[in-house]
């Protein structure tokens, strides 16, 4: 960046910098904020204001211009990105998961999973308000609650998102040769799985390198058209069936078996989008509680309705014989071929939505390691006021310590994205199936992100506050997550030991 373009931005930041003499007269905050894990006090030479941190980034010329632009996200665009993160390969396995539980029991589990997921998102959005400005992330919240574990939380989230992105490449690589064959192509290259994975990774370069999540709203909207098409196809084949009538008693309302614990992670995984809620909070033009809650309600509500529709009609169409991949149950007609193509586009456009949080988490991990190695301070002292008057969180009117503002440099942004794409390409070429791996991801990574971390973060921030309804819910959500992790992970390990995979 040239000096001429950087100067007006620098001037704006200097104008926003608080007066150091008046700031020094502010007394320490009230006891209400003692619930936060307080970092060790910094010396006067290390007490940088937020404006000084941003100014240092600008002076270094290692930042993206959009980092100082006004946020552009809306409820609609943010809901599209969250919904596209939610709606993926989980749609195709929902009828099979419902078949293992029964029609009514399966519907109840879908509704409960949607409710639990939305509560996790809400708790994370409340925690985001305790971070500084629009720099919220799992890492920032961890630094305010469990500073020593922050790096491990972000590493786990990065690994989880990386694993999901690999699954999208594998699904795309498996679908495209079938689609090419159904369309009558005989060229061996077009029937090669490796070719289509290579095609995918090259095509995704412009999207995966996008700096802001809101920039993906158009591709997310395009991908959601595939959901609409699948929605219509499932209904069409149910109301005009090509199959023989189902045997009597093949559809049950309730079914309980040991398989419940191996299928529950599918429902958990299906509603996981929590890795992107902080980006949504940072990028919303108006990130008040009303706007954030509206985004959560719209994205989770629409996904729940689509899951219920596909699960119920798919189960009623094929009964207990429904396969884990619903599309394999239909004949290779043009309608189904186009449906497979639309799903391939859906998972292709979902890849950047996993790459974005994985990159941000890895950046936080690398920066923390480098800051520790250089013995640089990780906290700054600022004076922030709450923009949310209905919040029940104790907000101090005095200076508080928050993690130092961090802006990812272009070089780091490019290098992390490049290595993420390279390693995901290598793994997806080498591995032919990730079904079992995704079961473990659902029972571990998705459970931690969706339930355990939101619950423990919110509780820690209100540890010394009075017990409220949300504080009780945070404990229940975290407890539920721990139980899911223990029982479902145990069931999947038993499944591997027994060879039932």
């Amino acid at each position: 960046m040239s000096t001429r373009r950087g100067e007006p931005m620098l001037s704006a930041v200097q104008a926003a910098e608080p007066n150091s003499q008046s700031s020094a007269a502010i007394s320490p905050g009230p006891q209400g904020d003692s619930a936060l894990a307080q970092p060790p006090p910094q010396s006067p030479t290390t007490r940088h204001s937020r404006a000084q941190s941003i100014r240092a980034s600008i002076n270094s010329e290692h930042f993206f211009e959009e980092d100082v632009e006004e946020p552009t996200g809306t409820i609609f665009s943010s809901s599209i990105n969250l919904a596209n993160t939610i709606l993926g390969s989980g749609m195709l396995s929902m009828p099979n998961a419902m078949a293992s539980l029964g029609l009514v029991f399966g519907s109840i589990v879908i509704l409960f999973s949607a409710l639990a997921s939305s509560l996790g998102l809400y708790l994370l959005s409340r925690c985001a308000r305790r971070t500084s400005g629009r720099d919220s992330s799992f890492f920032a919240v961890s630094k305010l609650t469990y500073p020593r574990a922050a790096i491990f939380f972000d590493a786990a989230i990065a690994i989880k998102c990386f694993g999901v992105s690999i699954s999208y490449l594998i699904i795309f690589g498996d679908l495209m040769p079938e689609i090419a064959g159904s369309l009558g192509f005989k060229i061996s290259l077009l029937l090669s799985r490796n070719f289509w994975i290579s095609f995918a990774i090259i095509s995704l370069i412009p999207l995966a390198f996008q700096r802001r999540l809101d920039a993906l709203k158009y591709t997310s909207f395009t991908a959601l058209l595939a959901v609409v098409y699948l929605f219509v196809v499932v209904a069409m084949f149910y109301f005009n069936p090509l199959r023989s009538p189902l045997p009597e008693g093949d559809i049950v309302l309730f079914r309980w078996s040991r398989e419940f614990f191996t299928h529950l992670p599918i429902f958990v995984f299906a509603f996981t989008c929590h890795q992107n809620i902080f980006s949504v909070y940072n990028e919303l033009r108006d990130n008040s509680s009303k706007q954030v809650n509206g985004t959560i309600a719209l994205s989770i509500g629409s996904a729940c309705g689509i899951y219920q529709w596909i699960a119920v009609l798919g189960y009623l169409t094929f009964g207990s014989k429904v396969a884990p991949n619903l599309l394999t149950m239909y004949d290779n007609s043009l309608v189904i071929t186009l449906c497979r193509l639309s799903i391939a586009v859906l998972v292709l456009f979902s890849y950047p939505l996993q790459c974005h949080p994985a990159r941000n988490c890895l950046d936080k991990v690398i920066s923390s390691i480098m800051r520790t190695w250089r013995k640089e301070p990780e906290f700054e002292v600022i004076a922030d006021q709450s923009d949310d008057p209905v919040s029940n969180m104790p907000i101090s009117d005095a200076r508080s310590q928050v993690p130092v503002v961090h802006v990812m440099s272009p070089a780091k942004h490019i290098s992390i994205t490049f290595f993420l794409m390279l390693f995901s390409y290598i793994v997806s070429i080498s591995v032919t199936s990730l079904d079992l791996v995704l079961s473990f991801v659902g029972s571990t990574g998705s459970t931690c992100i969706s339930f355990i971390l939101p619950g423990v973060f919110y509780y820690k921030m209100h540890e010394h506050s009075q017990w409220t309804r949300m504080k009780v819910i945070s404990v229940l959500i975290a407890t539920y997550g721990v139980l899911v992790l223990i029982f479902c992970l145990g069931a999947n390990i038993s499944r591997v030991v027994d060879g039932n995979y």
Side-chain angles (χ1 to χ4, degrees):
M1 170 179 261
S2 66
T3 305
R4 180 173 300 178
R5 297 181 66 180
E7 285 177 352
M9 296 178 188
L10 179 57
S11 300
V13 173
Q14 288 173 327
E17 184 176 350
N19 184 276
S20 58
Q21 294 178 352
S22 60
S23 298
I26 302 176
S27 61
Q31 185 64 24
D33 275 348
S34 62
L36 301 182
Q38 294 296 335
Q42 305 293 331
S43 63
T45 57
T46 60
R47 292 189 172 186
H48 302 295
S49 69
R50 180 173 180 81
Q52 287 173 326
S53 296
I54 299 177
R55 183 174 62 182
S57 297
I58 294 177
N59 282 337
S60 68
E61 298 186 1
H62 293 302
F63 76 105
F64 281 86
E65 187 170 348
E66 53 263 44
D67 285 317
V68 293
E69 288 181 350
E70 289 296 321
T72 58
T74 63
I75 288 183
F76 183 69
S77 66
S78 300
S79 298
I80 286 176
N81 283 325
L82 278 186
N84 193 28
T85 308
I86 297 170
L87 297 168
S89 56
M91 293 185 300
L92 304 180
S93 58
M94 272 294 163
N96 178 261
M98 176 169 281
S100 67
L101 305 180
L103 189 64
V104 175
F105 190 27
S107 297
I108 292 174
V109 173
I110 291 177
L111 287 173
F112 178 79
S113 299
L115 176 62
S117 181
S118 62
L119 285 174
L121 289 169
Y122 176 77
L123 293 177
L124 288 177
S125 70
R126 306 308 300 164
C127 293
R129 298 201 171 278
R130 297 305 302 271
T131 61
S132 178
R134 293 178 179 264
D135 196 37
S136 65
S137 64
F138 274 103
F139 188 84
V141 174
S142 300
K143 280 295 183 183
L144 294 176
T145 52
Y146 302 95
R148 295 180 182 273
I151 188 173
F152 300 105
F153 291 154
D154 267 274
I157 295 167
I159 293 173
K160 183 264 177 187
C161 297
F162 179 69
V164 177
S165 67
I166 291 172
S167 73
Y168 289 152
L169 291 179
I170 290 176
I171 293 171
F172 184 82
D174 291 340
L175 282 176
M176 289 308 297
E178 295 181 6
I179 295 170
S182 299
L183 294 177
F185 291 101
K186 303 297 184 181
I187 303 174
S188 59
L189 184 65
L190 297 180
L191 303 177
S192 169
R193 174 179 178 272
N194 291 351
F195 165 76
W196 286 110
I197 294 178
S198 302
F199 171 84
I201 207 69
I202 294 174
S203 303
L204 286 169
I205 289 176
L207 300 177
F209 278 86
Q210 287 292 331
R211 179 77 170 180
R212 300 173 67 88
L213 190 68
D214 193 59
L216 301 172
K217 58 188 175 185
Y218 299 112
T219 55
S220 294
F221 180 77
T222 303
L224 289 179
L225 295 179
V227 177
V228 176
Y229 187 56
L230 178 63
F231 190 91
V232 173
V233 167
V234 171
M236 181 178 67
F237 280 94
Y238 169 73
F239 291 108
N240 296 285
L242 301 177
R243 53 165 175 78
S244 302
L246 291 173
E248 187 176 351
D250 199 46
I251 303 294
V252 297
L253 300 182
F254 290 91
R255 175 177 289 138
W256 175 261
S257 68
R258 188 181 175 184
E259 292 183 355
F260 170 77
F261 294 106
T262 59
H263 284 88
L264 183 58
I266 295 177
F267 296 99
V268 175
F269 178 81
F271 285 100
T272 301
C273 61
H274 301 63
Q275 63 270 21
N276 282 330
I277 186 62
F278 289 114
S279 294
V280 167
Y281 174 83
N282 295 335
E283 296 178 17
L284 272 172
R285 185 182 298 116
D286 174 12
N287 63 354
S288 63
S289 291
K290 182 178 180 180
Q291 297 291 307
V292 176
N293 294 342
T295 300
I296 294 172
L298 182 58
S299 56
I300 294 291
S302 58
C304 181
I306 291 171
Y307 281 143
Q308 288 281 20
W309 177 272
I310 293 175
V312 170
L313 294 189
Y315 178 45
L316 292 177
T317 303
F318 299 105
S320 60
K321 299 291 192 299
V322 63
N325 185 343
L326 179 63
L327 289 181
T328 62
M329 299 297 298
Y330 300 107
D331 296 332
N332 288 329
S333 62
L334 180 61
V335 172
I336 297 302
T337 298
L338 293 177
C339 189
R340 288 174 179 162
L341 180 60
S342 66
I343 296 300
V345 173
L346 170 65
V347 297
L348 188 68
F349 286 162
S350 297
Y351 179 94
L353 296 174
Q354 299 296 331
C355 187
H356 185 276
R359 176 179 58 236
N360 289 344
C361 289
L362 284 178
D363 173 52
K364 296 292 192 302
V365 171
I366 295 171
S367 298
S368 180
I369 294 174
M370 295 301 296
R371 193 176 291 120
T372 302
W373 180 64
R374 295 171 180 171
K375 297 181 179 180
E376 296 176 351
E378 293 190 354
F379 290 85
E380 61 181 343
V381 181
I382 65 167
D384 264 353
Q385 298 293 331
S386 172
D387 64 347
D388 186 14
V390 300
S391 173
N392 63 353
M393 297 182 182
I395 301 294
S396 171
D397 60 356
R399 292 192 302 177
S400 59
Q401 288 185 325
V402 296
V404 172
V405 176
H406 170 70
V407 180
M408 193 190 314
S409 68
K412 189 183 291 185
H413 174 89
I414 293 172
S415 59
I416 293 177
T417 307
F418 172 78
F419 282 109
L420 279 173
M421 298 188 73
L422 176 63
F423 287 132
S424 63
Y425 171 74
I426 294 173
V427 175
S428 59
I429 287 289
S430 306
V431 179
T432 58
S433 176
L434 278 182
D435 290 345
L436 187 61
V437 175
L438 288 181
S439 296
F440 280 95
V441 170
S443 58
T444 54
S446 295
T447 301
C448 289
I449 295 175
S450 302
F451 310 128
I452 298 178
L453 291 184
V456 298
F457 283 161
Y458 189 91
Y459 174 80
K460 185 65 175 179
M461 287 187 170
H462 298 78
E463 186 176 11
H464 300 292
S465 303
Q466 63 180 356
W467 282 90
T468 61
R469 179 174 56 185
M470 289 312 302
K471 188 174 180 179
V472 173
I473 289 176
S474 69
V475 174
L476 294 177
I477 285 289
T479 304
Y480 170 69
V482 171
L483 293 177
V484 170
L485 188 149
I486 293 173
F487 286 103
C488 294
L489 182 60
N492 279 300
I493 292 175
S494 176
R495 176 184 170 193
V496 173
V497 173
D498 296 339
N500 298 325
Y501 61 92

